[in-house]
Amino acid sequence: MTELEQQLLSAFDSLQNQHEKQHKDFVTSYNGLVQMFESTSKENKELRHQVSNLSRQIEHLSAHLLQLEKHYNKNNR
């Protein structure tokens, strides 16, 4: 094998190693993003449920307040 062939083979091996490392780093980063997305989606679902419950409580309290206001106005005439 000539010196040029050895240099080319060495350069190819180096590029291949760099590519494999970059691919491994990419897969690691991608998996981390998938986990973050799943975690965020779960948290958002829980928060939507809490907001829905709070909205129902507000509606109930608003209706109750209207009833109290009507009762108050009726008794203070």
Side-chain angles (χ1 to χ4, degrees):
M1 187 178 288
T2 67
E3 183 179 337
L4 177 60
E5 290 173 327
Q6 288 176 345
Q7 289 175 350
L8 289 172
L9 182 59
S10 176
F12 176 77
D13 287 340
S14 177
L15 286 173
Q16 187 175 14
N17 289 338
Q18 288 176 1
H19 174 74
E20 288 172 359
K21 183 185 180 316
Q22 287 175 346
H23 179 71
K24 186 178 179 180
D25 292 344
F26 170 81
V27 169
T28 300
S29 296
Y30 176 80
N31 289 336
L33 287 172
V34 167
Q35 287 178 335
M36 286 176 15
F37 175 79
E38 290 171 352
S39 175
T40 301
S41 294
K42 181 180 176 185
E43 290 172 3
N44 284 343
K45 182 179 178 181
E46 292 169 359
L47 288 171
R48 280 192 306 272
H49 182 70
Q50 291 175 2
V51 167
S52 179
N53 286 341
L54 288 171
S55 293
R56 281 194 296 274
Q57 289 177 12
I58 288 170
E59 289 172 8
H60 176 74
L61 290 171
S62 293
H64 187 66
L65 183 60
L66 285 174
Q67 290 175 350
L68 289 173
E69 185 179 16
K70 286 178 185 178
H71 182 71
Y72 177 80
N73 288 337
K74 181 180 174 183
N75 287 337
N76 286 333
R77 285 183 186 189

